[in-house]
Amino acid sequence: MDKELLKLEHINKSYDGKQVLEDLDLTIHENEFMTLLGPSGCGKTTTLRLIGGFELPDSGRILFDGQDITRLRPEKRPVNTVFQKYSLFSHMDAADNIAFGLKLKGKSKSYIRDKIKYALKLVNLDGYEHASVTQMSGGQQQRIAIARAIVNEPKVLLLDEPLSALDLKLRQSMQRELVKIKKELGITFVFVTHDQQEALSMSDTVVVMNQGWIQQIGTPESVYNEPENAFVADFIGDSNIIDGMMVRDKLVHLLGQDIPCINTGFGENVPVDVQIRPEDIQICEPANGQFRGVIRQVVFKGTVYDITIEAGGFRWLVQTITGHEQGREVGLRLAASNIQIMAKPASEDEEAATDE
């Protein structure tokens, strides 16, 4: 892991008496692609605006490379921001939009010309110097906004849901472009989104937030495969979340059955939340399953089938690449390694912090 670059320490922020961030601690490393992920109102954009200097915390501090920048004005910070609305100047062409910040800094014409050329090449818009931004597509406008930000050579690039206005195919293309740009520039990206697929496919680190609290920080793989609570499990992809009882290490009581798992350290006879991803459930013959049930619904989603199965008094979501007949009796098998055990909230306060 590269060195620590940005630290947010004990950040609190409220608007009109409503707490938006509560005692938030966050460390961002050099060259990291970090995504702040969560539902609307979770505090992710407020966190980004605090880093950018567009908001001030009620308490706590923000450190950049060890220096306190909490009260530093936005233009004095080594960061640039690309907003959801790109805020391009409609009366300027692409080159003048990109050069705006450089001109304010008094850079020479040759320096600015070289930077524009470099930035346009980086965002795959060679030859668009004199193009009108009002004639550009949403994806092209977004690239100009990124080019305008990167020519200022920020240490950190902040991106506030910059892809949300694009159609699916273009959004996926721009996701790949952003990852490529980040690698070529070698700078730190902090990206805000509520799109789980976007966060999982682009990031080195995902920060899952809800109601002003950080729920989990980890790699995309760890957040998806090892969620720390029911909110994360339910928000990141599809999940079956069921009340269970940890009998002892590596054995959980689930819907009337004792089921082997690989989890330890929860104690004996402790209530837990049990998570099983839909793709990790095997449909088999009724006699071969740990649970026996009936297929209630089959929905084709293009690459997989979403299959709803009623078994053990629970409606399971199962995802397979092969279809099954509605009304058929089937068995369900769970591999121990695919069962994720999560602690239930210990108090009402903790439950509120993990409630959507």
Side-chain angles (χ1 to χ4, degrees):
M1 179 72 72
D2 290 306
K3 74 171 185 176
E4 293 179 357
L5 187 64
L6 265 168
K7 287 195 79 169
L8 284 72
E9 297 182 339
H10 306 295
I11 297 293
N12 288 279
K13 182 66 179 177
S14 60
Y15 297 105
D16 300 323
K18 177 178 168 57
Q19 193 84 14
V20 178
L21 295 174
E22 187 162 349
D23 199 31
L24 182 138
D25 287 309
L26 182 64
T27 299
I28 302 167
H29 294 85
E30 199 169 46
N31 300 322
E32 186 172 25
F33 195 128
M34 175 178 281
T35 296
L36 308 181
L37 172 68
S40 297
C42 72
K44 56 189 186 293
T45 293
T46 299
T47 302
L48 199 79
R49 291 179 63 82
L50 287 166
I51 295 170
F54 303 106
E55 302 280 354
L56 295 176
D58 299 333
S59 61
R61 62 179 189 158
I62 301 169
L63 303 177
F64 184 88
D65 212 6
Q67 300 296 311
D68 192 332
I69 63 166
T70 311
R71 304 284 161 182
L72 206 60
R73 291 179 59 81
E75 65 271 16
K76 300 292 186 182
R77 300 187 183 205
V79 305
N80 268 100
T81 307
V82 178
F83 294 103
Q84 185 174 353
K85 295 180 179 177
Y86 310 136
S87 303
L88 298 175
F89 300 110
S90 59
H91 64 285
M92 296 182 184
D93 62 18
D96 284 337
N97 265 282
I98 294 169
F100 183 76
L102 298 176
K103 289 178 179 177
L104 288 179
K105 292 179 178 179
K107 299 294 185 181
S108 70
K109 287 184 179 180
S110 61
Y111 178 90
I112 291 173
R113 187 171 58 249
D114 289 345
K115 279 292 186 181
I116 291 170
K117 195 174 185 69
Y118 166 75
L120 285 172
K121 184 176 182 181
L122 196 63
V123 298
N124 286 334
L125 286 175
D126 279 339
Y128 278 75
E129 285 89 344
H130 303 299
S132 167
V133 294
T134 58
Q135 306 279 314
M136 289 181 164
S137 67
Q140 289 171 332
Q141 289 180 358
Q142 194 250 13
R143 293 178 192 207
I144 295 298
I146 291 170
R148 183 176 61 184
I150 61 180
V151 293
N152 292 301
E153 299 182 354
K155 295 290 177 74
V156 180
L157 187 60
L158 309 176
L159 301 112
D160 187 8
E161 303 207 50
L163 310 183
S164 60
L166 307 181
D167 63 62
L168 178 61
K169 190 171 182 180
L170 184 54
R171 191 160 71 242
Q172 291 172 339
S173 171
M174 285 308 306
Q175 289 168 10
R176 293 189 291 270
E177 288 293 325
L178 280 175
V179 173
K180 186 188 84 171
I181 289 168
K182 185 262 172 194
K183 287 180 179 176
E184 289 191 23
L185 291 174
I187 64 175
T188 301
F189 276 32
V190 183
F191 187 92
V192 162
T193 186
H194 61 269
D195 186 309
Q196 301 93 323
Q197 181 273 331
E198 205 162 76
L200 294 175
S201 64
M202 298 171 68
S203 316
D204 301 316
T205 305
V206 177
V207 180
V208 185
M209 300 181 67
N210 189 39
Q211 295 188 5
W213 298 79
I214 291 176
Q215 302 293 316
Q216 186 169 348
I217 300 176
T219 64
E221 292 85 358
S222 67
V223 168
Y224 184 85
N225 292 320
E226 301 168 19
E228 292 180 4
N229 58 50
F231 173 81
V232 176
D234 195 42
F235 190 77
I236 306 289
D238 294 318
S239 276
N240 297 282
I241 301 174
I242 312 164
D243 290 331
M245 180 74 70
M246 203 69 186
V247 179
R248 60 176 184 271
D249 283 353
K250 300 185 179 181
L251 189 68
V252 63
H253 190 76
L254 183 67
L255 302 176
Q257 303 285 340
D258 285 345
I259 306 293
C261 61
I262 62 173
N263 303 81
T264 60
F266 285 87
E268 296 185 1
N269 300 317
V270 176
V272 291
D273 287 322
V274 181
Q275 182 229 15
I276 303 106
R277 294 288 185 191
E279 66 269 23
D280 290 334
I281 301 169
Q282 181 187 353
I283 296 176
C284 59
E285 292 300 318
N288 297 331
Q290 292 151 311
F291 299 96
R292 184 187 292 250
V294 176
I295 295 176
R296 297 301 185 193
Q297 187 179 45
V298 180
V299 179
F300 181 55
K301 302 289 284 286
T303 55
V304 297
Y305 291 87
D306 275 4
I307 301 174
T308 303
I309 299 172
E310 196 167 319
F314 182 80
R315 290 180 75 87
W316 300 76
L317 175 63
V318 182
Q319 290 176 339
T320 71
I321 58 172
T322 55
H324 290 264
E325 184 183 349
Q326 187 171 321
R328 178 184 157 210
E329 187 177 11
V330 294
L332 300 181
R333 287 205 62 79
L334 311 175
S337 59
N338 289 331
I339 296 172
Q340 178 67 23
I341 306 297
M342 303 173 294
K344 283 187 173 292
S347 65
E348 288 186 10
D349 285 345
E350 189 178 328
E351 186 169 4
T354 58
D355 234 4
E356 184 171 5

